[in-house]
Amino acid sequence: MKRLPITLTVLSLAAIALLGVVSCQKEKTEEKPIVQQDPETERALERISEFKNKVKDHRNNSLARSSETISLEDALWNIENVFNATYSQPEIRCSETSEFTFSLYLAIDTDGNVLLSDLFDLYDQAVVEARYAYSNSGFTNKVFRYMTIETEGLNEHEARLVFKGRTGERNETPWQPYQDTCLYFGPFGTDDNYHYDYGKCDGTGVDGADEMLTYHVGHYIASRLTTPPVGMRAVYINTIDIILYGCVYTNDLFFRTNTNATCIDFNNMNRLYNTEKALVTETLPCDPQSDVYGMTPIGIFVYPEHRANYDFIAHNNRVTYSWRVIADLNVIGEVEDLLIDQNTN
């Protein structure tokens, strides 16, 4: 499995994290802030807005088949980023999340290009598939967090596109991350001793340390996403997943060579909470040598390492990062509810 190479235009978006500077210059009759964007950031937002408008025009005249083509790489950029700009809300805290996956096929020519008409049809098909999965996610107060696209089975005639979306149960409970009950400050109290993979150390419950760290570190990540100024909202571009292995980040994630010592006491739960959130939100995004330099974490999934032939037990992290851009609502529009088909209104 691999993602398509990133174009120079997309690579230049690496500067986005250093941009999007908001100038809150207030006038007597106008309080809307002025946003100073880098040219590449502006172009990314223009591409999203332009593609959204073309999709709408195609829906209104679906019989008109254009011969215009674009590269497969640009096609995937448009689908993923327009979809997330339209429906995703990764900044909303969730009590739990789940992932869905589906595949679609897109015809390509011998030059690796796709017809725009085919691309518009595929985008609408992806919306339908994602809406179905989202509506059947089992959550009550649903949140659509984000979706990524990867290519598999690419050949000279078509590309198999794998869509992975993450949904969640909205958490309305106020988040209180710190309790002064431990040597390491954190959300875990003296009774919060968990096996690294399943349940509490006293034999109760089913949520292990992996689920609890997913929950609390995930809440911390959401709490860092500041509210944009009035008349603006955040847009998340070029979303990617990376895997952090406990056997590599032994000082930051759970890792033990004693495979029988599966219980993590409350104090070490708080230590892991602090080291894990620092690694994900500060160390990697601030490291020019990392694959996510300048990016913003928007989701995390902690899972145990279970391979029997290993002489250790550990936690791995699948962390989702994105370029976070503050955009004018007049340019990008409001977030839409994936469950509502806007074309029927």
Side-chain angles (χ1 to χ4, degrees):
M1 178 188 302
K2 68 177 183 179
R3 298 180 65 87
L4 287 174
I6 303 176
T7 62
L8 291 177
T9 299
V10 176
L11 280 174
S12 60
L13 288 172
I16 288 177
L18 303 178
L19 305 170
V21 179
V22 178
S23 175
C24 298
Q25 299 174 349
K26 295 186 178 181
E27 300 178 0
K28 292 182 179 179
T29 59
E30 179 62 55
E31 295 185 355
K32 187 175 181 179
I34 300 173
V35 177
Q36 299 174 347
Q37 301 282 22
D38 174 82
E40 293 299 340
T41 302
E42 292 182 354
R43 178 56 188 149
L45 295 175
E46 288 172 0
R47 287 179 65 183
I48 291 171
S49 179
E50 180 182 3
F51 188 80
K52 286 181 69 174
N53 291 331
K54 286 184 177 180
V55 169
K56 291 178 181 178
D57 292 340
H58 179 74
R59 290 168 181 163
N60 295 330
N61 191 15
S62 59
L63 296 179
R65 308 298 295 181
S66 170
S67 60
E68 183 180 354
T69 63
I70 63 172
S71 70
L72 178 59
E73 186 176 349
D74 287 341
L76 299 190
W77 192 98
N78 284 329
I79 297 174
E80 180 179 294
N81 289 304
V82 170
F83 191 97
N84 284 327
T86 304
Y87 299 111
S88 69
Q89 293 181 287
E91 66 272 11
I92 293 180
R93 294 185 297 109
C94 294
S95 57
E96 57 180 318
T97 65
S98 67
E99 184 179 75
F100 64 80
T101 301
F102 62 88
S103 298
L104 296 175
Y105 291 84
L106 183 61
I108 60 175
D109 62 23
T110 54
D111 296 322
N113 297 325
V114 303
L115 282 171
L116 272 179
S117 299
D118 290 345
L119 183 61
F120 297 148
D121 290 339
L122 183 132
Y123 179 83
D124 280 341
Q125 187 179 359
V127 171
V128 171
E129 294 287 342
R131 179 176 292 128
Y132 176 80
Y134 183 44
S135 64
N136 291 281
S137 61
F139 297 127
T140 302
N141 196 356
K142 295 179 173 61
V143 174
F144 188 85
R145 297 187 61 77
Y146 53 83
M147 188 162 70
T148 60
I149 309 174
E150 297 177 346
T151 57
E152 289 184 354
L154 182 66
N155 58 48
E156 60 182 3
H157 300 297
E158 65 180 9
R160 178 172 177 256
L161 309 183
V162 179
F163 296 76
K164 295 181 180 180
R166 183 157 291 276
T167 66
E169 180 74 40
R170 185 187 302 263
N171 187 359
E172 305 291 357
T173 304
W175 185 53
Q176 299 177 348
Y178 291 103
Q179 300 176 13
D180 295 344
T181 59
C182 318
L183 178 61
Y184 293 101
F185 293 161
F188 300 102
T190 55
D191 294 329
D192 294 329
N193 308 307
Y194 291 90
H195 289 292
Y196 86 107
D197 57 348
Y198 185 87
K200 281 194 165 186
C201 297
D202 61 7
T204 62
V206 296
D207 289 342
D210 51 338
E211 286 93 352
M212 299 308 298
L213 288 169
T214 296
Y215 176 82
H216 287 290
V217 177
H219 276 211
Y220 177 77
I221 288 173
S223 73
R224 289 169 52 90
L225 302 178
T226 57
T227 302
V230 175
M232 315 195 75
R233 72 175 177 90
V235 175
Y236 298 86
I237 299 175
N238 297 344
T239 302
I240 64 170
D241 286 340
I242 65 169
I243 304 297
L244 307 177
Y245 294 97
C247 60
V248 176
Y249 295 94
T250 56
N251 293 323
D252 304 291
L253 309 182
F254 173 72
F255 175 85
R256 286 179 183 171
T257 55
N258 183 351
T259 58
N260 295 316
T262 62
C263 181
I264 308 174
D265 65 81
F266 76 96
N267 196 43
N268 275 294
M269 287 292 293
N270 282 322
R271 182 187 67 81
L272 288 170
Y273 166 77
N274 283 286
T275 57
E276 206 152 344
K277 73 178 186 181
L279 174 67
V280 169
T281 64
E282 298 173 15
T283 304
L284 295 179
C286 295
D287 180 3
Q289 302 303 314
S290 80
D291 293 334
V292 294
Y293 177 58
M295 301 183 78
T296 299
I298 60 174
I300 187 170
F301 178 65
V302 182
Y303 61 96
E305 181 62 81
H306 278 302
R307 300 183 189 181
N309 58 330
Y310 283 8
D311 57 356
F312 63 82
I313 52 177
H315 281 166
N316 300 333
N317 284 191
R318 188 174 70 187
V319 189
T320 305
Y321 286 87
S322 187
W323 301 117
R324 187 174 192 258
V325 179
I326 304 303
D328 192 317
L329 287 175
N330 293 326
V331 174
I332 212 67
E334 295 278 6
V335 175
E336 297 179 17
D337 188 340
L338 181 57
L339 294 177
I340 299 176
D341 186 351
Q342 301 293 332
N343 297 316
T344 61
N345 296 335

